Amino acid sequence: MKVLVPVKRVLDYNVKVRVKSDQTGVDLANVKMAMNPFDEIAVEEAVRLKEKGTVTEIVAVSIGVAQCEAILRTALAMGADRGLLIETDQDLEPLAVAKVLKAVVAQENPDIVLMGKQAIDGDNNATGQMLSALLDWPQATFASKVEIAGSEALVTREVDGGLQTLGVQLPAVITTDLRLNEPRYASLPNIMKAKKKPLDTRALADYGVDAAARLTVVKVTEPAKRSAGIKVDSADALIANLKTAGVL
Amino acid sequence: MAVLVIADHDGAHLRDTTLKVITAAQKLSGDIDVLVYGEASAVAAQAAAAAGVRKVLTAESAELKADIAEAVSALIVSLAGGYDAIALPATASGKNVAPRIAAALDVSIISDVIDVVAGDTFVHPIYAGNALETVKTADAKKVLTVRPTAFAPVAATGGSAAVEAVAVPAVTLKTRFVSDEKVVSDRPELGAAKVVVSGGRALGSADEFKAVLEPLADKLGAAVGASRAAVDAGYAPNDYQVGQTGKVVAPELYIAVGISGAIQHLAGMKDSKVIVAINKDPEAPIFQVADFGLVEDYKTAVPALLKALG
């Protein structure tokens, strides 16, 4: 069984987000970039399925600038077998990413596309669902547990009000939620080994996909800041203040 | 220009969320239809009574009731021809299906809309709410998810829209529903509650989480929430999580108990009207957004609060 894991290079989640003063976007110059945390969970889950013997090959794919190679090397160090970098300087929207991934799926024929439920930059939570629609595959989003039973994946999903378990026939798209697993840190020997694993680079144009932007960014601004209020010294004082504020 | 709003409901009650999405939709058009899918009969009348609704569409099937994305998406795509925009609530259910609809229609998705600037221009948060992006779409048909907390609800009564059943398209599903494990509670729903009491990792165990927060929530008629750390540690179910990847809430009063205030948690509650933080660490970042901070161990502070509330 083969798994395709798309991984995105994003601003490291520990880095403070700064909006550019000209309102054109978020400042990404000279800041630490890393693999999208939800994608790390997807890589980890694929590696665990391989360790169980369910999966035989894991292909990691990233679409973006040349530096995405570092993200793919991280996936390889975690246990992916092969990397594919589709290079472009264009900032692709979820629909365009889904179209490129559909073309990759046609070449690679995976049984499962396992990917993060959202990227922590755009927060769209869309690409997996879009890919699933374009492929006409079943989808199981927001997974907190994945079990493969023959030609079906049993996926427990984090939904409104609790959990839902679905059985999806493979091939399928599965997107990961936070509690699916805790990704491993790659060991030094594995980081060294990852440098020798195969990694192909292609140009976005090779895929002949319409990746044109549908959205124009008018501006990016900082949200209104909330200022710190006052410290109170007792529960009674707190209640009195809340009554004055009209919320009790 | 007409808008199709997808109702949020539990089979018996129309959620307040729907009324808020209608408000957002009204900024696009006066012609608003509401689709109630799943177990629709009781809810359709409530949707028809909401102010400003032109027509209520209902669709029922077992797959729709189980909220299987492929079935829901096929239904909405079958209706899309009559609308210029489709608006869903930015709930787990809405987020699950909206991008699928958008891809099937070959349009972009505009997620988590918090403001409608013009018919083609929307504001939505990115980077966990650390930045707000205004985007203009070139797509003729718009598919949006709307963050309910950003809009006031329309009146739940006063409307008298007609209710009409629509055909459910036949879909060969490759997905089967196995089971549901829903958290049953008499408390208000987290997303709609006027008061939310949330607990963090400081509470130390699932038993302590319950023992400390539930009496306070009961006293205040509040919903119970949790930080990601508390959910990850197993103190509270996943459905309680408030934050960037959990629920976004904006109640009148948010009480954070033993929550340090990680950025990802603040992203889910910083639009609350009044924020109270109870934490024994005076340096906890939660105090930077709290209107009222009480630097005290929750073990003494919460019982004192209960006593003061009488």
Side-chain angles (χ1 to χ4, degrees), chain A:
Chain A
M1 190 171 284
K2 183 169 171 181
V3 179
L4 182 72
V5 186
V7 292
K8 187 176 185 183
R9 178 178 179 264
V10 297
L11 183 66
D12 186 278
Y13 76 98
N14 285 312
V15 174
K16 188 170 163 43
V17 175
R18 287 182 206 284
V19 173
K20 287 197 249 183
S21 55
D22 63 0
Q23 300 195 336
T24 55
V26 164
D27 196 355
L28 299 178
N30 305 315
V31 292
K32 190 181 173 210
M33 303 293 280
M35 191 192 300
N36 175 42
F38 289 98
D39 300 344
E40 261 186 320
I41 294 171
V43 174
E44 175 66 31
E45 195 64 16
V47 174
R48 288 186 189 189
L49 289 171
K50 193 177 174 196
E51 287 167 348
K52 274 190 216 161
T54 316
V55 163
T56 48
E57 189 186 15
I58 302 167
V59 180
V61 55
S62 193
I63 307 166
V65 293
Q67 292 91 323
C68 290
E69 182 178 334
I71 306 303
L72 286 169
R73 292 288 173 202
T74 304
L76 295 172
M78 287 173 74
D81 298 293
R82 194 149 65 74
L84 172 62
L85 169 59
I86 301 171
E87 224 182 299
T88 175
D89 289 335
Q90 208 185 322
D91 195 10
L92 300 186
E93 292 167 12
L95 182 62
V97 174
K99 287 179 178 180
V100 178
L101 290 176
K102 184 188 174 189
V104 174
V105 165
Q107 285 180 349
E108 296 283 348
N109 285 310
D111 299 282
I112 304 172
V113 179
L114 192 53
M115 57 200 288
K117 76 164 180 180
Q118 74 191 72
I120 60 164
D121 48 5
D123 279 337
N124 284 300
N125 191 331
T127 306
Q129 295 90 312
M130 289 183 143
L131 176 63
S132 162
L134 296 179
L135 291 167
D136 195 22
W137 285 8
Q139 71 179 48
T141 54
F142 324 149
S144 65
K145 192 177 170 198
V146 175
E147 275 179 274
I148 310 294
S151 61
E152 188 183 56
L154 285 171
V155 180
T156 303
R157 311 175 50 233
E158 299 202 353
V159 297
D160 304 310
L163 299 170
Q164 179 192 52
T165 303
L166 295 179
V168 288
Q169 282 172 36
L170 302 180
V173 176
I174 299 173
T175 76
T176 60
D177 217 315
L178 291 170
R179 277 166 285 276
L180 183 58
N181 60 48
E182 275 187 48
R184 70 195 63 195
Y185 289 101
S187 66
L188 191 58
N190 283 339
I191 292 171
M192 300 312 289
K193 262 192 251 170
K195 291 185 179 165
K196 295 196 179 112
K197 286 187 179 177
L199 195 156
D200 283 345
T201 301
R202 304 276 171 79
L204 177 64
D206 294 350
Y207 290 86
V209 161
D210 166 25
R214 306 294 184 86
L215 305 176
T216 314
V217 176
V218 178
K219 62 177 178 178
V220 175
T221 55
E222 267 185 59
K225 283 233 171 14
R226 224 187 147 101
S227 48
I230 57 164
K231 295 260 171 72
V232 295
D233 57 7
S234 71
D236 288 318
L238 178 57
I239 302 277
N241 274 296
L242 292 177
K243 284 189 172 149
T244 309
V247 290
L248 271 191

Side-chain angles (χ1 to χ4, degrees), chain B residues 30-84:
Chain B
D31 293 330
I32 294 165
D33 294 352
V34 175
L35 170 67
V36 183
Y37 71 82
E39 221 171 334
S41 49
V43 180
Q46 296 164 39
V53 176
R54 180 177 72 173
K55 196 164 61 176
V56 174
L57 308 177
T58 63
E60 298 195 300
S61 77
E63 291 77 23
L64 293 172
K65 186 176 174 228
D67 213 9
I68 306 288
E70 295 90 306
V72 177
S73 166
L75 169 69
I76 296 171
V77 169
S78 78
L79 300 169
Y83 299 94
D84 305 286

